[in-house]
Amino acid sequence: MIVAAPMPTYPIKKGRSHPLGAIVERDGVNFSIFSEHATSVELLLFKQHDGLEPIQIIPLDPNSNKTFHFWHVYVQGLKPGVFYAYRIDGPMDLKAGYRFDRQKILIDPYARGTIKTLWNRADACQPGNNLATSLRSVVIDTSDYDWEGDLPLNRAMSETIIYEVHVRGFTLSPTSGVERPGTFAGLIEKIPFLQKLGITAVELLPIFEFDDTEIGYIDDKPLKNYWGYSPMCFFSPHSHCCNEPEIGCHVREFRDMVKALHRAGIEVILDVVFNHTDEGNHQGPTFSFKGIDNSVYYYLTPDDKEHYADYTGCGNTLNCNHPVTQKMIVECLHYWVKEMHVDGFRFDEASVLSRGEDGSPMKYPPVVWQVELDETLADTKMIAEAWDAAGLYQVGYFPGYRWAEWNGRYRDDIRRFVKGESGLVGAVASRITGSADLYQWRGHSPINSINFITCHDGFTLNDLVSYDHKHNQANGEQNRDGADENLSWNHGIEGETDNSEIELLRERQIKNFATILLLSRGVPMILAGDEIRRTQKGNNNAYCQDNEISWFDWTLLQKNHHLLRFWRQMIQFRKYHSTLQSPHYFSGNEMNERGLADISWHGCQLNSPGWDNPQSRVLAFTLGGFNGALDLHVMANMYHETLGFEIPSLHDRQWYKAVDTALEAPLDFPEIGQESLIKDSVYPVTGRSICVFISK
């Protein structure tokens, strides 16, 4: 009989309180974790990612392995690749907010990698031992990597064009043809597509470790947490985006992706979720903060601390402005910038970060202002989704100076205008010029505005022009989930159709949206797939659809190649002309060398924009100051009225370059596109279209 050799017992030393997490050093690993109310802490070491029994259990002596409320130990001779977890004991008093369970296995909040091989959510929701079905943290040496000189790109915000994309969904479809679909490596294989499209930054839907196990079934198809807005560990890249998470490759594979994107001139912005965690409400699982120190890390209801204050719509709310939680958030951002070379962050439900411990919004929320003024983060892009699920809406007045905001007003006003609603010309003009009505009063500029028509949450652009109503039956909630008001228009038929006239009109509307978005002052954001008419079949809340409903369909590149070409060339046009990237508002007062204002407004008549006409559906404007002494004349007609006036500053010229979103006549500088000889001084712009003239 062969007897397995006993595993070595690693000698231990006192260790130190900082930095938190598992820090690899020459002679071993230092472990540190914070818990104010714990009475005992055990560190469990595992040899394998699926090991059912620890190879060593290390009790932390409160007299020698504790400094104030930081529990720490140094394990000599320990190497990267070892897996670990904690067991923490303390009072179990729900009414006081304490949920300690000495048998429950807990991951390290600062872990650089998390393993879900054995994970069973149901077991974590019950009290008692879940050793056989728990999460594991993994020791990773973050110093062992060759960046080859890579650094964050630090591109100016005004020059940024954002592409919101889901890492896994971008290449999971069999149509992607990549070697490693659904991974960071798979995204690398599609960088040439991103380069040709012309965007300057990818905004990745959450890639922190999250629970993507099944949340239910419908018609025998599993429903999973696809989007990722349920974080388990803020320092750990999502294991299912990795090829070999079981050997702790999380950090290396993410860095490979960042380095490759940077080589292509593309920045990396992470969508981060610091407003809540996947531990949910009082019935949710215990795998981290709940078992470490529940009353510190979460907002609890003041009268009954057994329950959680839910400002997020996700069951709990992270106590962001508690000093310890604030420390964790800021150190997490430092980690992703310094060690992972990330270029920016978009904060989900960022208004939660402005709430104090009583839940009320604060004028100077500590965590928001520390991020704002932090020197390490000074060149890092910060973007806020400036609202939360409890009704706090801060678009135009989110705390801080340099925070950009998802401009929900831009989305709504432009949707209404292109749909054909009247009385919006003033609002639309404000959005095009940089939303001064929202930002100028605080000394902010257009770069505080992230302009977008669509995002992951809601209709795709194709569906925005194809559906009047949401169709979310596949989510298993009887179509009750998702927003009911989408400001959409199906153009006569709900959903897909072979009616060629309706299809032409829908495509023209998509071009209208693209043209307005890319000619507006501010920072444009494009939802991945809008450039090729990706559809979710009318589903406006595909958070649980890890399937063809959400995945990028690469066959559409060929099917809708003409539309893709239009997007590419509009993006190139914006990038070529610095006036469209200006960090300042269009004012109407700045003159170019030919005496043409930076923007001039018209309606059905020259210099008569109809600001006070509640029925107006027509807006025309002239832009000056383009590279190469160009003038740009934009006519937007969302109703069937003829623009009956001489084209400003063009009536004495003969040749023009033109692009009409109703036609296949793209902007392509310096051969901007189809040359048009305008014989008459009056040009009838058809309804539901935008016509752009460029004179030189």
Side-chain angles (χ1 to χ4, degrees):
M1 183 177 69
I2 300 176
V3 178
M7 292 300 301
T9 298
Y10 294 98
I12 64 171
K13 297 167 61 176
K14 176 180 178 180
R16 61 185 186 279
S17 59
H18 286 84
L20 288 164
I23 306 302
V24 177
E25 299 180 351
R26 184 183 62 181
D27 299 324
V29 179
N30 189 81
F31 294 87
S32 180
I33 189 168
F34 173 90
S35 180
E36 179 179 352
H37 299 104
T39 56
S40 69
V41 175
E42 289 181 336
L43 173 65
L44 285 64
L45 303 179
F46 301 86
K47 182 180 180 181
Q48 303 291 342
H49 66 97
D50 55 356
L52 297 180
E53 295 294 334
I55 59 173
Q56 187 172 349
I57 299 175
I58 303 173
L60 274 58
D61 186 337
N63 295 314
S64 60
N65 297 112
K66 182 183 177 186
T67 303
F68 299 108
H69 301 306
F70 296 92
W71 299 74
H72 47 81
V73 65
Y74 191 92
V75 183
Q76 294 180 281
L78 196 66
K79 300 296 182 183
V82 169
F83 302 87
Y84 69 103
Y86 288 98
R87 283 195 294 232
I88 300 179
D89 199 10
M92 182 57 159
D93 183 351
L94 298 182
K95 298 300 182 182
Y98 302 133
R99 290 180 172 270
F100 291 98
D101 183 343
R102 69 172 307 275
Q103 293 184 297
K104 196 61 68 183
I105 302 300
L106 308 173
I107 58 172
D108 179 2
Y110 279 70
R112 275 37 173 178
T114 305
I115 300 297
K116 296 181 296 189
T117 308
L118 302 172
W119 172 241
N120 183 295
R121 186 179 184 86
D123 289 351
C125 293
Q126 305 299 323
N129 186 11
N130 67 328
L131 178 63
T133 58
S134 58
L135 300 170
R136 303 281 191 271
S137 300
V138 57
V139 176
I140 295 176
D141 183 2
T142 58
S143 67
D144 185 19
Y145 187 78
D146 183 4
W147 276 106
E148 301 179 89
D150 178 80
L151 290 171
L153 298 182
N154 293 334
R155 178 177 284 107
M157 195 67 165
S158 60
E159 299 173 4
T160 299
I161 301 173
I162 298 171
Y163 190 74
E164 190 195 30
V165 62
H166 189 286
V167 170
R168 285 176 53 74
F170 199 45
T171 61
L172 267 174
S173 169
T175 64
S176 71
V178 302
E179 182 179 349
R180 290 167 287 189
T183 65
F184 298 128
L187 191 147
I188 292 174
E189 295 184 58
K190 291 299 184 180
I191 287 177
F193 168 80
L194 298 174
Q195 285 182 291
K196 192 171 183 180
L197 181 60
I199 54 90
T200 70
V202 289
E203 182 174 298
L204 306 180
L205 266 69
I207 57 83
F208 293 171
E209 190 63 73
F210 64 89
D211 187 1
D212 53 1
T213 53
E214 288 84 358
I215 58 176
Y217 286 84
I218 184 168
D219 297 331
D220 296 325
K221 293 183 178 179
L223 301 178
K224 299 182 178 181
N225 178 358
Y226 170 71
W227 283 350
Y229 292 92
S230 55
M232 289 179 141
C233 185
F234 299 111
F235 288 77
S236 174
H238 186 44
S239 54
H240 286 174
C241 289
C242 304
N243 288 304
E244 299 175 301
E246 65 279 358
I247 63 171
C249 67
H250 306 64
V251 171
R252 175 177 54 80
E253 293 191 18
F254 180 85
R255 284 170 162 174
D256 287 346
M257 179 194 68
V258 172
K259 185 165 61 174
L261 285 164
H262 282 176
R263 283 175 173 168
I266 298 171
E267 292 187 308
V268 178
I269 299 171
L270 299 186
D271 193 336
V272 294
V273 186
F274 289 116
N275 57 78
H276 74 282
T277 77
D278 188 53
E279 289 187 301
N281 62 18
H282 62 287
Q283 297 176 316
T286 297
F287 59 79
S288 182
F289 295 128
K290 269 187 185 178
I292 294 171
D293 210 330
N294 184 67
S295 64
V296 168
Y297 285 105
Y298 292 115
Y299 287 114
L300 306 177
T301 54
D303 298 328
D304 179 7
K305 293 187 177 182
E306 179 179 356
H307 298 93
Y308 296 85
D310 184 6
Y311 304 115
T312 66
C314 299
N316 66 47
T317 306
L318 206 61
N319 191 0
C320 302
N321 284 302
H322 185 286
V324 173
T325 314
Q326 176 185 343
K327 168 185 170 67
M328 184 271 296
I329 292 173
V330 173
E331 289 180 345
C332 183
L333 299 176
H334 284 178
Y335 171 73
W336 287 99
V337 170
K338 295 169 64 177
E339 300 294 337
M340 308 294 261
H341 291 196
V342 162
D343 302 274
F345 303 95
R346 177 264 185 188
F347 290 72
D348 178 65
E349 291 193 60
S351 290
V352 168
L353 277 68
S354 73
R355 293 183 182 270
E357 294 208 37
D358 64 352
S360 301
M362 307 168 71
K363 184 177 182 180
Y364 299 109
V367 68
V368 173
W369 280 96
Q370 185 173 354
V371 171
E372 165 86 21
L373 302 173
D374 189 276
E375 292 185 12
T376 299
L377 305 174
D379 296 318
T380 303
K381 294 175 173 63
M382 297 295 170
I383 302 169
E385 182 186 37
W387 54 82
D388 65 24
L392 184 55
Y393 190 82
Q394 297 176 306
V395 171
Y397 62 96
F398 187 79
Y401 303 123
R402 69 185 184 94
W403 287 82
E405 301 169 5
W406 271 24
N407 191 343
R409 290 277 300 278
Y410 183 97
R411 172 199 60 204
D412 295 347
D413 288 343
I414 301 303
R415 283 187 179 190
R416 288 190 172 100
F417 179 69
V418 174
K419 180 184 176 184
E421 293 186 19
S422 59
L424 287 167
V425 293
V428 170
S430 181
R431 303 300 152 248
I432 289 171
T433 56
S435 294
D437 58 328
L438 298 178
Y439 299 110
Q440 194 171 34
W441 68 278
R442 296 182 64 200
H444 288 180
S445 73
I447 62 173
N448 290 103
S449 175
I450 304 296
N451 300 332
F452 68 106
I453 308 297
T454 57
C455 65
H456 69 276
D457 190 0
F459 280 151
T460 66
L461 194 51
N462 175 82
D463 292 358
L464 189 67
V465 301
S466 303
Y467 293 89
D468 280 353
H469 310 287
K470 65 183 182 182
H471 296 267
N472 296 356
Q473 290 82 0
N475 296 351
E477 300 181 44
Q478 291 76 51
N479 207 34
R480 294 191 301 267
D481 62 305
D484 293 317
E485 179 55 77
N486 297 283
L487 305 176
S488 60
W489 179 38
N490 67 16
H491 297 83
I493 294 178
E494 187 77 352
E496 296 180 358
T497 180
D498 56 4
N499 185 306
S500 59
E501 291 185 4
I502 289 178
E503 276 296 284
L504 285 173
L505 184 53
R506 287 175 176 176
E507 186 158 308
R508 188 189 308 175
Q509 291 284 63
I510 290 173
K511 291 180 179 179
N512 289 339
F513 280 121
T515 302
I516 294 175
L517 179 65
L518 290 163
L519 294 182
S520 296
R521 287 272 172 96
V523 182
M525 183 182 78
I526 302 164
L527 174 63
D530 279 354
E531 70 278 15
I532 56 171
R533 294 191 65 176
R534 186 181 73 84
T535 178
Q536 293 178 172
K537 311 297 183 183
N539 193 323
N540 74 349
N541 189 35
Y543 74 99
C544 57
Q545 300 296 332
D546 190 5
N547 51 48
E548 291 82 359
I549 290 176
S550 299
W551 297 345
F552 197 100
D553 181 358
W554 291 90
T555 66
L556 295 177
L557 270 69
Q558 180 59 37
K559 180 180 179 180
N560 296 315
H561 63 91
H562 50 289
L563 182 62
L564 176 59
R565 182 168 178 261
F566 184 88
W567 276 94
R568 285 171 174 167
Q569 296 188 337
M570 282 299 301
I571 289 171
Q572 290 305 316
F573 185 79
R574 179 184 180 88
K575 292 170 70 175
Y576 186 85
H577 295 292
S578 57
T579 187
L580 296 175
Q581 304 169 55
S582 172
H584 306 295
Y585 300 104
F586 282 124
S587 66
N589 298 319
E590 298 179 13
M591 302 293 177
N592 65 13
E593 64 273 14
R594 296 181 307 287
L596 188 66
D598 61 348
I599 192 163
S600 304
W601 296 102
H602 323 286
C604 290
Q605 301 298 322
L606 182 64
N607 296 318
S608 298
W611 302 135
D612 300 323
N613 180 0
Q615 302 304 316
S616 178
R617 295 181 175 89
V618 175
L619 187 64
F621 58 92
T622 304
L623 298 178
F626 281 79
N627 298 351
L630 296 178
D631 299 333
L632 184 66
H633 311 270
V634 182
M635 302 179 185
N637 185 359
M638 295 307 150
Y639 199 60
H640 293 283
E641 299 179 55
T642 298
L643 302 183
F645 60 84
E646 293 183 354
I647 300 169
S649 303
L650 295 182
H651 63 276
D652 59 346
R653 299 174 186 269
Q654 185 179 19
W655 289 96
Y656 312 101
K657 312 278 189 174
V659 57
D660 189 334
T661 62
L663 307 172
E664 178 56 31
L667 296 159
D668 187 8
F669 194 87
E671 292 299 324
I672 299 169
Q674 162 183 322
E675 287 192 341
S676 303
L677 177 59
I678 312 240
K679 297 180 180 179
D680 300 318
S681 61
V682 177
Y683 184 81
V685 179
T686 58
R688 306 290 178 191
S689 68
I690 292 175
C691 188
V692 180
F693 292 96
I694 302 164
S695 68
K696 186 174 183 179

